[in-house]
Amino acid sequence: MRLVTVGVAAAVPAIRAVRWLPPVGGLLVGYAMVGLPAAVSGPSSPELLVILLRLAAVCAGLAVGFLLDDPSRPTTLTSPTPAWLPLAARLGAGAVVLAAWWWATLATALAAAGPASVVLPRGDLTLETAAVVAVAVAAGTLVWRRSARGSVGLVAAPVFLAAVVVAALLPDRVALLAAPGAPTWDAAHDRWMVVLIGAGTGALLAATWSPVSPRRTTAAASG
Amino acid sequence: MTMVVDAPRDAAPVAAAVSRRQAMLALARFEAVRMARHPVTVAALLLYLGPWVWNLARPGADRYPVLHADMAMLQMAVMLVLGGAALVVANLAVLRERRHRTDAVSDLLVLPPTWRTGAFLLATLAPAALTLAVFAGQVLTLALLPGRAGRVDPFDVAIPAAIVAVLGVGGVLLGRVIRSPIVAPLVAVIFAAVGFVAVASVATGTTWGRLLPILPDDLPIALPWALLARPSGWHLAYLVGLTAVLVVVVLFHAGLRARAAVPALAAALAVTVGAGSVQLGQDDEILAARVAANDNPAPFQTCETRGQVTYCAFDDFTAWVPAWSRVVDDVVRLTPPGAVAAGPPLAVRQWVWSDRYPTFGGSFGPEWFEARSRTQRATDTAAGTPEAIPVGTAWGDEASAAAFAGGVAYRIVTGRAVTSSTTACGPRGALIVWLTGQANARTAAGLRQLDNQSSGALALVDYTIDNSLLVDDRAAGVGLALLERPPTEATALVATHWAELTAPGTTLEQAAQLLGVPAPPPADPSLDSKRCDS
């Protein structure tokens, strides 16, 4: 019961302290990437739509880094809750917004594809976006660990973009970016799953792992 | 308590201007060094150059670049990687004061905001100069390769640096207008999206993609220099004008007086709009030349004779003749003496699909194939090289080597050239596949690659020309089985039975028996409707 009280007490201000404008702006730009060509030029080819959906996912990844920006960090570092709790609260709130955004973006893309939308596998595209966001969360969390002043997106964004360029340059044998309908699509999505799990684990470790165990600190303090 | 301090009366305004200029230059130098060695710049350079160096240096690399086409293709990577990095780095530099909450302190300094912003704008020359050096190095490396084709357009050497300058100045502008560091990376992603949409749309004949910093080529294949419609000079002028517009806007925002800003902006806009609209036009003369070259490339070509073979290539592609000649020699060496003497003297002619290229795929009716065949034969006969083996404007990769070797083999085995869509069946088809796979290591690798991509029939296709050689699957199977046998044995067998194997009456089963390979599976009658040209 106490744990819940502490959790709520830490989470609510953490969510209220989020500066929503940069991440929401990023998501809007991402949506426009799919929505604008659809509105202007009508049905697009599935290949182009997949590229645009992936670039929209990159915008979402950039947004995640800025979601973790917390200028009040120097004052909240000393609060008696685990450090990961406000982080988890921010990410949880962000996940809700992201899910709604992705649903709208994917629906727009499918509408833009028209009858060709049958070749766009929703599940696999969602997996790609989830993996991209997980990589952004992992990069953001790593930066968050090391930034005492709480500016995460600033450093996480270029790191994340570099990771995206590396992913685009991967040779065919281990490529992540398959064209829809290509024979390599399924193998590429097995790799996306690996990326998702790896990045998720990395983010979890980066958020919670501490090189010194609490007990030893207590012992050292009392000793 | 506030105190107003007057400047000392004896300080001459000229001296103040000089010291401001010196301070601005000092700041610009400092920022330029920081931008050049920023981790993002370094990472971008590595990401940009690494794959390019690897593709050129790895074993079996493509050493036959078409200079003007390769330079145009690199622009997208320059814009996304180097340009994106310049945008982010310049933006971060401008936002640094705000990030460290020292902007109030800077306002107390002797250098007014206009001059300070000018220093940031000057500093963006550092990434641009770095890009110019890197790109010039790339072009020089490619131009020094003995197998390079095409020409170097000096404007195209400068365009990448101008792309980076536009994006760097854009980063300064964004930093002044919107004080959030998310904007620059987002704009970099927007450029990627617009770039992909533009490249996808140039193929439909629209030219609005040229309004981007990059100048995309209008066909996805390499064209000879004479058929190129690249308004690179106008595009460079457009980029310079665009940079000037952004610079004036930034300085005006930072406090430049309207008396100076308005005329400068008007001049910059005039250059941008003028050059930007001129470059959008289509060059009708070039389009007509493309139609003409598509039917008859001979007037654009130079011919030379090596050994017994005449090679006709577009004027800027003659460096590829030695490489073609090696493949021809490798195929001829596998045939018995006298086999080549059957038809007219061997000749090779370069073609390019410069008119109505099917960028999004497309299907053509039998009449179209007939017409193309007639045109090709008429051109070759009129130019004095009847039944010339066609070759395209792609070279250096394994697939195009195999496609060309297949064309050479078809010409030797049947005495005719591959035209439009040609299908080879029976023992001749098997022989063509074996000659292609046996000629040399590159054609063998290319044959494997094309075999993996093909379904229904083995397609020895070069996508830069509008004709293709298909080998029926049963015949290809016999040829591939023969490739499994030791080369000396197979060569001796082929030489012994050459006459039977190339005779029109021999069946594939008889050929398999002669060559000592397993007989092919019986023909599937449902697939038998395919016409065979040999």
Side-chain angles (χ1 to χ4, degrees):
Chain A
M1 192 60 214
R2 202 179 146 268
L3 203 68
V4 174
T5 320
V6 170
V8 171
V12 171
I15 295 172
R16 286 183 51 174
V18 172
R19 289 200 284 191
W20 284 104
L21 191 62
V24 169
L27 291 182
L28 284 180
V29 169
Y31 178 79
M33 259 169 211
V34 176
L36 216 56
V40 172
S41 66
S44 305
S45 71
E47 287 81 12
L48 189 61
L49 272 175
V50 166
I51 291 179
L52 293 176
L53 274 173
R54 284 172 179 159
L55 288 171
V58 171
C59 291
L62 288 174
V64 167
F66 287 88
L67 185 73
L68 303 184
D69 269 356
D70 183 10
S72 66
R73 189 121 189 269
T75 60
T76 55
L77 262 179
T78 49
S79 63
T81 51
W84 55 263
L85 196 63
L87 182 77
R90 276 163 182 265
L91 287 176
V96 175
V97 178
L98 261 176
W101 167 83
W102 176 245
W103 177 82
T105 309
L106 190 60
T108 308
L110 292 175
S117 68
V118 283
V119 299
L120 289 178
R122 299 143 203 239
D124 287 346
L125 289 169
T126 307
L127 168 67
E128 283 186 20
T129 304
V132 166
V133 169
V135 168
V137 169
T141 316
L142 274 173
V143 177
W144 168 84
R145 265 184 91 90
R146 302 187 57 89
S147 80
R149 296 180 51 175
S151 60
V152 173
L154 187 78
V155 185
V159 171
F160 170 70
L161 284 185
V164 169
V165 175
V166 169
L169 289 173
L170 286 177
D172 287 343
R173 235 165 355 101
V174 288
L176 284 171
L177 304 180
T184 50
W185 180 272
D186 287 336
H189 284 81
D190 292 345
R191 285 179 216 121
W192 276 113
M193 186 55 98
V194 173
V195 171
L196 174 62
I197 294 171
T201 316
L204 203 64
L205 279 178
T208 56
W209 184 70
S210 160
V212 184
S213 77
R215 199 188 307 158
R216 273 187 52 199
T217 350
T218 331
S222 64
Chain B
M1 193 179 102
T2 314
M3 194 167 66
V4 178
V5 182
D6 283 328
R9 277 165 196 278
D10 53 341
V14 179
V18 169
S19 75
R20 276 178 182 173
R21 201 170 64 232
Q22 279 171 348
M24 181 183 77
L25 288 177
L27 181 57
R29 225 171 7 246
F30 172 78
E31 291 293 345
V33 172
R34 281 191 70 120
M35 281 187 196
R37 63 166 200 221
H38 195 283
V40 172
T41 309
V42 175
L45 272 177
L46 289 178
L47 285 174
Y48 171 74
L49 268 183
W52 183 82
V53 170
W54 167 246
N55 276 335
L56 203 64
R58 75 190 156 90
D62 177 355
R63 301 279 172 78
Y64 294 87
V66 182
L67 291 172
H68 50 256
D70 283 25
M71 285 162 69
M73 216 137 57
L74 280 171
Q75 283 181 8
M76 186 75 162
V78 167
M79 180 175 82
L80 295 189
V81 181
L82 298 181
L87 182 75
V88 170
V89 169
N91 190 252
L92 286 178
V94 173
L95 290 178
R96 194 188 309 121
E97 287 177 349
R98 182 181 161 81
R99 201 159 61 241
H100 298 293
R101 301 189 174 75
T102 56
D103 33 5
V105 179
S106 305
D107 287 343
L108 296 175
L109 297 177
V110 282
L111 208 55
T114 322
W115 291 76
R116 246 183 306 136
T117 311
F120 284 110
L121 292 172
L122 276 179
T124 57
L125 286 175
L130 212 57
T131 307
L132 184 63
V134 166
F135 195 74
Q138 284 180 297
V139 172
L140 192 67
T141 312
L142 292 180
L144 288 178
L145 291 175
R148 87 253 168 285
R151 293 196 193 154
V152 174
D153 179 347
F155 293 126
D156 261 333
V157 180
I159 284 177
I163 292 174
V164 171
V166 168
L167 289 171
V169 172
V172 175
L173 177 64
L174 289 174
R176 286 211 55 100
V177 178
I178 310 173
R179 296 194 167 269
S180 168
I182 195 178
V183 179
L186 273 182
V187 169
V189 181
I190 291 174
F191 268 107
V194 181
F196 282 117
V197 173
V199 168
S201 74
V202 277
T204 59
T206 56
T207 51
W208 65 264
R210 293 175 181 173
L211 292 177
L212 281 179
I214 53 170
L215 177 60
D217 260 340
D218 48 0
L219 283 183
I221 56 172
L223 288 176
W225 180 261
L227 305 181
L228 213 57
R230 267 182 86 71
S232 51
W234 288 114
H235 188 71
L236 186 61
Y238 164 72
L239 288 180
V240 170
L242 196 60
T243 313
V245 169
L246 293 177
V247 164
V248 176
V249 170
V250 172
L251 288 178
F252 182 66
H253 189 268
L256 184 69
R257 268 168 306 192
R259 206 177 51 203
V262 170
L265 188 64
L269 270 178
V271 173
T272 312
V273 173
S277 47
V278 170
Q279 64 161 347
L280 292 182
Q282 297 271 21
D283 190 338
D284 292 331
E285 217 169 288
I286 296 282
L287 291 183
R290 285 185 187 178
V291 175
N294 195 40
D295 287 343
N296 181 8
F300 301 90
Q301 294 183 325
T302 313
C303 294
E304 64 178 279
T305 307
R306 295 174 81 95
Q308 305 294 314
V309 189
T310 308
Y311 296 88
C312 297
F314 288 105
D315 295 338
D316 46 335
F317 280 79
T318 46
W320 288 1
V321 169
W324 293 335
S325 142
R326 272 196 294 282
V327 171
V328 172
D329 292 347
D330 284 339
V331 175
V332 170
R333 199 177 312 116
L334 295 169
T335 60
V340 177
L346 281 188
V348 172
R349 181 174 298 284
Q350 193 177 23
W351 289 78
V352 64
W353 198 342
S354 52
D355 181 36
R356 276 175 276 169
Y357 186 85
T359 308
F360 297 114
S363 54
F364 299 94
E367 305 81 28
W368 186 83
F369 284 120
E370 281 298 318
R372 290 300 299 164
S373 281
R374 273 200 305 278
T375 312
Q376 185 180 334
R377 292 225 152 79
T379 299
D380 281 333
T381 312
T385 54
E387 302 298 336
I389 303 155
V391 64
T393 56
W395 193 256
D397 60 316
E398 287 151 350
S400 40
F404 178 57
V408 176
Y410 184 85
R411 168 67 177 77
I412 295 173
V413 170
T414 65
R416 291 171 75 78
V418 174
T419 57
S420 63
S421 179
T422 303
T423 308
C425 310
R428 292 168 160 202
L431 207 49
I432 289 164
V433 169
W434 178 78
L435 287 169
T436 305
Q438 196 62 57
N440 60 42
R442 280 186 91 79
T443 59
L447 183 70
R448 271 197 304 278
Q449 208 175 316
L450 291 170
D451 185 31
N452 288 338
Q453 292 170 3
S454 309
S455 60
L458 176 51
L460 297 167
V461 186
D462 177 343
Y463 290 99
T464 62
I465 45 178
D466 62 355
N467 53 30
S468 53
L469 171 61
L470 305 173
V471 181
D472 169 69
D473 250 355
R474 291 177 70 232
V478 172
L480 291 171
L482 186 59
L483 281 172
E484 302 287 315
R485 298 200 54 173
T488 45
E489 243 180 78
T491 314
L493 275 173
V494 167
T496 319
H497 301 294
W498 183 265
E500 293 103 302
L501 290 170
T502 54
T506 319
T507 65
L508 195 57
E509 285 75 13
Q510 290 167 337
Q513 205 176 3
L514 288 174
L515 297 170
V517 296
D524 184 347
S526 65
L527 297 174
D528 224 27
S529 57
K530 234 181 299 165
R531 96 202 139 86
C532 290
D533 300 280
S534 71

